[in-house]
Amino acid sequence: MNSQSIENYLKVIFNQAIVTDEVNTTGIAQALEVSLPSVNSMVKKLAGMGLLEYEKYKPLKITEKGRQTAAMIIRKHRLTEMYLVEKMGFGWEEVHDIAEQLEHIQSPEFFDRMDELLGHPQRDPHGSPIPNKQGHIAILEYRMLSDCKPGEKVELKALAHTSDEFLRYLNSKELALGVQVQVVEVEVYDKNMTVDYEGRREVLSALVCSKLLVS
Amino acid sequence: MNSQSIENYLKVIFNQAIVTDEVNTTGIAQALEVSLPSVNSMVKKLAGMGLLEYEKYKPLKITEKGRQTAAMIIRKHRLTEMYLVEKMGFGWEEVHDIAEQLEHIQSPEFFDRMDELLGHPQRDPHGSPIPNKQGHIAILEYRMLSDCKPGEKVELKALAHTSDEFLRYLNSKELALGVQVQVVEVEVYDKNMTVDYEGRREVLSALVCSKLLVS
DNA sequence: TAAATTTGTTAGTCAATGCTAACTATTTAA
DNA sequence: TTAAATAGTTAGCATTGACTAACAAATTTA
């Protein structure tokens, strides 16, 4: 029954709450590209609905109910992304905008069917966990590739960033989830990493390596 | 760029324009379950956008641009219904409400992919034609079963009504598109029809028979 | 610690889309 | 052919979710 606006706010707040437990108004405004007063009034509304704890000039805290509600939206988003990639043949760089719209569809049956057809996947195409129907999210403890040492051989499991440009960059390097990567060398000066995978050798920047989650 | 409201109005107007070329305000209000003044103001807006011709107290006429725009929405709706039935295993009585939401998704790629995966279907699961990408709609000249004479053997091709209750009724009688139906007898008094199909004999009311389109 | 900066709030406005009440035009029927 | 009924319109208002301008609190920094 929540509007799309409410759902979008909640999703952003939830995602920020993962980083720091306490969320600030400005961050929400930036993420949603909306003015501060807009956030302020919506935050009051969400608090009135019991989804947030709000006190003037204090950082926001998401309630259990808010967390639960947000998890269900994220579940729909990530199931959709997985469905688009697995069943409809889209690339992982194409699915975000479509999922952003589909996540607001009100139809448990629709998403349950996706879930079934996919065999109850645990991760979306970018390696992010899909919350289960109870709103529980498996916490996956991956390391950043940038924290690995020369000689280590690891598998690319997830991405810490999923912008189109980054995904297209990874496509151009044929870096996909599941690829086995061996660290050859780390440049002391700029932390550039030379890595081997799939029979090729590439030099990856520290920025890129910090977005590649491995185990 | 059109809002969901605009799209819903346009779809209703288009559908009414198929029946009678000139559409009246009250019909729109009833179809959308909205007040007359709401329709009046939206109609002016649509006219301002060049989708309708509007003159005070005159019946409305949809423009070519309006027809085109509506056809694309109906294309998305019907492709979605077909996809849900063919690729996701839904029953024909379950898909309307989901398609009603999905038809507003803005992503040509998404619907093109459905279209491809379905092999460019010409009809939705209820036998209604799917407009092509140019907005052209194949006009299918079917007869009503109620117009058939005893002894005639025809195939169920489409439905003139697609409410959940009607579809569930057809399910209960195992009446599906493609079924070969033979007219056994027509009761003069109430036009009830006795028909044979799939090895069973059923008596169908005149109302039901007028909603069954055959050839 | 006082000034400057950043962050958050309030007040007032706007556009989209809905509504009711009151009115007018058109159509139907007595 | 006039009265009643129906259909369409206008005016004014409510709600949602956005905005700017102005201000207040909290934090940073000189």
Side-chain angles (χ1 to χ4, degrees):
Chain A
M1 220 69 326
N2 298 329
S3 73
Q4 296 201 182
S5 258
I6 288 175
E7 294 197 343
N8 287 334
Y9 274 94
L10 208 50
K11 204 175 43 153
V12 161
I13 293 166
F14 179 89
N15 281 326
Q16 304 215 350
I18 290 170
V19 185
T20 41
D21 203 50
E22 302 191 324
V23 178
N24 65 336
T25 307
T26 307
I28 303 169
Q30 285 169 352
L32 289 171
E33 296 183 298
V34 133
S35 72
L36 272 168
S38 299
V39 175
N40 186 254
S41 71
M42 182 57 92
V43 148
K44 287 177 180 172
K45 181 173 182 172
L46 295 176
M49 296 169 73
L51 300 164
L52 293 182
E53 285 169 36
Y54 168 71
E55 269 185 283
K56 264 193 188 183
Y57 295 108
K58 295 267 173 69
L60 302 165
K61 295 187 74 176
I62 193 165
T63 63
E64 187 46 41
K65 182 179 171 191
R67 196 179 302 278
Q68 182 71 21
T69 308
M72 294 318 292
I73 302 160
I74 289 166
R75 173 175 165 80
K76 293 196 282 181
H77 182 102
R78 294 187 179 163
L79 270 178
T80 299
E81 289 198 336
M82 199 62 176
Y83 188 89
L84 292 170
V85 167
E86 292 293 312
K87 300 295 178 186
M88 296 187 77
F90 284 98
W92 67 353
E93 79 285 3
E94 300 178 290
V95 296
H96 185 268
D97 291 354
I98 305 177
E100 202 71 10
Q101 297 181 64
L102 283 173
E103 73 193 4
H104 301 297
I105 298 293
Q106 300 296 316
S107 170
E109 300 78 19
F110 181 57
F111 295 100
D112 286 352
R113 194 56 59 95
M114 275 190 191
D115 189 34
E116 252 177 63
L117 292 169
L118 290 167
H120 312 287
Q122 303 296 301
R123 322 268 166 80
D124 78 8
H126 315 106
S128 302
I130 298 175
N132 69 15
K133 287 182 80 171
Q134 285 68 50
H136 183 258
I137 304 178
I139 294 160
L140 306 167
E141 285 300 338
Y142 296 136
R143 305 157 62 198
M144 293 186 283
L145 178 59
S146 50
D147 289 342
C148 296
K149 301 281 164 267
E152 281 195 75
K153 187 155 194 175
V154 293
E155 184 178 327
L156 182 54
K157 291 287 200 172
L159 306 178
H161 228 240
T162 58
S163 69
D164 287 16
E165 311 82 61
F166 183 50
L167 293 169
R168 278 194 292 268
Y169 167 81
L170 297 179
N171 283 348
S172 75
K173 299 284 184 196
E174 290 184 63
L175 274 166
L177 298 194
V179 165
Q180 304 288 326
V181 178
Q182 176 146 32
V183 181
V184 177
E185 195 189 347
V186 181
E187 176 58 48
V188 181
Y189 175 61
D190 59 7
K191 303 277 191 274
N192 266 10
M193 238 181 205
T194 305
V195 296
D196 284 351
Y197 61 91
E198 311 261 294
R200 51 197 285 173
R201 173 161 295 191
E202 295 285 351
V203 178
L204 306 175
S205 72
L207 180 64
V208 164
C209 293
S210 71
K211 306 301 185 200
L212 299 177
L213 304 179
V214 302
S215 72
Chain B
M1 220 68 327
N2 297 329
S3 72
Q4 296 200 181
S5 256
I6 289 175
E7 294 196 346
N8 286 334
Y9 273 94
L10 209 50
K11 204 175 44 153
V12 162
I13 293 166
F14 178 90
N15 281 326
Q16 305 214 349
I18 290 170
V19 185
T20 40
D21 203 49
E22 302 191 326
V23 177
N24 65 335
T25 307
T26 307
I28 302 170
Q30 285 168 353
L32 290 170
E33 296 184 300
V34 133
S35 72
L36 273 168
S38 299
V39 175
N40 187 254
S41 70
M42 181 58 92
V43 148
K44 287 177 181 171
K45 181 175 183 171
L46 295 175
M49 297 169 72
L51 300 165
L52 294 182
E53 286 169 36
Y54 168 73
E55 269 184 282
K56 263 193 190 183
Y57 295 107
K58 295 268 174 69
L60 303 164
K61 294 188 74 177
I62 194 166
T63 63
E64 188 45 41
K65 182 178 170 191
R67 197 179 302 278
Q68 183 70 22
T69 307
M72 295 320 290
I73 302 161
I74 289 166
R75 174 176 164 79
K76 292 196 282 182
H77 182 102
R78 294 187 178 164
L79 271 178
T80 299
E81 290 199 336
M82 200 61 177
Y83 188 89
L84 292 170
V85 167
E86 292 292 312
K87 299 296 177 186
M88 296 187 78
F90 284 98
W92 65 353
E93 78 285 4
E94 300 179 288
V95 296
H96 186 268
D97 291 354
I98 305 177
E100 203 71 11
Q101 298 179 64
L102 283 172
E103 73 192 5
H104 301 297
I105 298 292
Q106 300 296 315
S107 170
E109 300 78 17
F110 181 57
F111 295 101
D112 285 352
R113 191 59 55 95
M114 275 190 192
D115 189 33
E116 251 177 64
L117 292 169
L118 290 167
H120 311 287
Q122 303 296 300
R123 322 269 167 80
D124 79 7
H126 315 106
S128 303
I130 298 175
N132 69 16
K133 287 183 81 168
Q134 285 68 48
H136 183 258
I137 304 177
I139 294 162
L140 306 167
E141 285 300 340
Y142 294 136
R143 305 158 63 200
M144 295 185 283
L145 178 59
S146 51
D147 289 342
C148 295
K149 299 283 164 267
E152 281 195 74
K153 187 156 194 177
V154 293
E155 183 179 327
L156 181 54
K157 291 287 200 171
L159 306 177
H161 228 242
T162 58
S163 70
D164 287 16
E165 312 83 60
F166 184 51
L167 293 169
R168 277 195 292 269
Y169 167 81
L170 297 179
N171 285 347
S172 75
K173 300 282 185 197
E174 292 184 62
L175 274 167
L177 299 194
V179 165
Q180 305 288 324
V181 177
Q182 177 147 32
V183 181
V184 176
E185 195 190 346
V186 181
E187 176 59 48
V188 181
Y189 174 60
D190 59 7
K191 303 280 191 271
N192 266 9
M193 238 182 204
T194 305
V195 296
D196 284 353
Y197 60 92
E198 310 261 294
R200 52 197 284 173
R201 173 160 297 189
E202 295 285 351
V203 178
L204 305 175
S205 72
L207 180 64
V208 165
C209 293
S210 71
K211 306 301 184 200
L212 299 177
L213 304 179
V214 302
S215 72

